[in-house]
């Protein structure tokens, strides 16, 4: 019995050491040299396969983990209990990372999209200390302008880092997001940035 207890204790110590290594600065810095565009990256020592996925009925595409699944409406409702629910959210069971979209009914012409990020930044800033804005940028992707802002929002128990992006699709506002827990910023931010970089619209021939 004593021998068995010693084996269990040794195994527990090995698991605890592995967990420390997963989140160690050296591990994170080495993993950050990898790119999702290489296909497979390690996230806290877990191999994750990325590839491009068609979205919004084939009107857009973005790179994301291969095993990301669309959450059920019940799951989305449970997560976004205060309303403002996205139309679709993607995630999996083991990554602290999700992405989603809300295709609104608001008509916003393409020529106004370059300024929309600034407007969204002003609105979010008025929410007070629960939201901290980190930056706002605009890029041109084919015939589309994509604005994005980066922010941290605070809940009762967590701080969430959120990259929100905005564009006009067929004359209507499209809002996208990529988010993760802020405590994992060092590892997840570069992944979220590459996912955002990969987002593009499928131009008709």
């Amino acid at each position: 019995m004593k021998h068995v207890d010693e084996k269990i204790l040794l195994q527990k110590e090995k698991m605890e050491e592995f967990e420390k290594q997963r989140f160690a600065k050296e591990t994170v810095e080495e993993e950050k040299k990898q790119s999702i565009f290489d296909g497979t990256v390690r996230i806290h020592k877990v191999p994750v396969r990325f590839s491009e996925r068609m979205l919004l009925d084939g009107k857009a595409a973005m790179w994301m983990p291969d095993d990301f699944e669309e959450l059920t409406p019940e799951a989305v409702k449970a997560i976004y209990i205060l309303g403002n629910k996205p139309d679709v959210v993607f995630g999996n069971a083991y990554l602290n990372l999700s992405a989603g979209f809300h295709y609104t009914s608001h008509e916003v012409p393409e020529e106004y999209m370059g300024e929309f990020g600034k407007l969204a930044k002003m609105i979010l800033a008025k929410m007070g200390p629960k939201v901290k804005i980190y930056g706002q940028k605009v890029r041109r992707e084919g015939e589309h302008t994509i604005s994005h802002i980066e922010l941290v929002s605070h809940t009762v128990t967590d701080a969430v880092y959120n990259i929100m992006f905005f564009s006009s699709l067929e004359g209507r506002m499209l809002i996208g997001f990529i988010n993760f827990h802020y405590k994992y910023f060092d590892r997840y931010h570069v992944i979220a940035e590459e996912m955002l970089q990969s987002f593009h619209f499928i131009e008709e021939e």
Side-chain angles (χ1 to χ4, degrees):
M1 187 65 181
K2 181 179 180 182
H3 181 65
V4 173
D5 290 343
E6 288 176 348
K7 288 183 65 176
I8 293 174
L9 180 60
L10 181 60
Q11 187 65 27
K12 181 181 178 182
E13 289 175 349
K14 287 182 178 179
M15 291 177 63
E16 289 175 349
E17 180 59 29
F18 178 70
E19 283 299 301
K20 289 180 182 178
Q21 292 177 6
R22 286 184 63 209
F23 299 96
K25 182 178 180 180
E26 295 78 8
T27 299
V28 171
E29 290 303 316
E30 190 63 29
E31 290 181 349
K32 284 167 65 176
K33 298 175 184 177
Q34 305 165 13
S35 169
I36 67 172
F37 303 119
D38 294 331
T40 300
V41 300
R42 288 188 176 272
I43 303 177
H44 296 142
K45 288 188 174 290
V46 177
V48 181
R49 176 76 184 174
F50 281 76
S51 62
E52 186 175 67
R53 183 175 304 193
M54 301 295 286
L55 304 164
L56 304 168
D57 296 323
K59 296 183 177 70
M62 185 170 73
W63 281 62
M64 63 176 65
D66 281 0
D67 58 2
F68 259 23
E69 296 182 349
E70 184 176 337
L71 273 61
T72 65
E74 293 76 17
V76 173
K77 184 177 180 180
I79 295 170
Y80 297 89
I81 57 176
L82 298 180
N84 299 318
K85 293 185 292 292
D87 300 322
V88 59
V89 179
F90 298 95
N92 61 24
Y94 63 92
L95 289 179
N96 192 281
L97 179 72
S98 62
F101 298 90
H102 179 40
Y103 191 24
T104 76
S105 59
H106 303 303
E107 295 184 3
V108 181
E110 179 65 36
E111 55 266 29
Y112 293 117
M113 289 311 307
E115 299 297 317
F116 191 84
K118 295 179 182 178
L119 176 61
K121 184 178 177 180
M122 290 173 56
I123 294 171
L124 288 165
K126 291 180 179 179
M127 296 178 68
K130 289 186 177 181
V131 174
K132 184 174 182 180
I133 310 294
Y134 279 84
Q136 178 258 328
K137 294 181 181 178
V138 179
R139 69 179 168 95
R140 189 74 178 170
E141 182 64 49
E143 298 298 318
H144 296 268
T145 299
I146 302 174
S147 299
H148 85 267
I149 58 176
E150 300 192 27
L151 60 115
V152 173
S153 57
H154 295 268
T155 66
V156 176
T157 57
D158 298 303
V160 178
Y161 199 91
N162 203 331
I163 297 178
M164 298 181 67
F165 51 102
F166 315 90
S167 193
S168 179
L169 176 60
E170 298 178 344
R172 290 161 49 200
M173 170 68 69
L174 175 69
I175 302 173
F177 69 85
I178 305 162
N179 61 31
F180 53 87
H181 281 189
Y182 183 58
K183 65 180 179 180
Y184 299 123
F185 177 89
D186 286 348
R187 181 65 191 102
Y188 279 88
H189 186 247
V190 65
I191 294 169
E193 282 192 322
E194 288 191 328
M195 288 175 65
L196 173 66
Q197 177 187 340
S198 76
F199 177 80
H200 65 98
F201 291 97
I202 307 300
E203 306 291 351
E204 296 184 358
E205 298 293 337

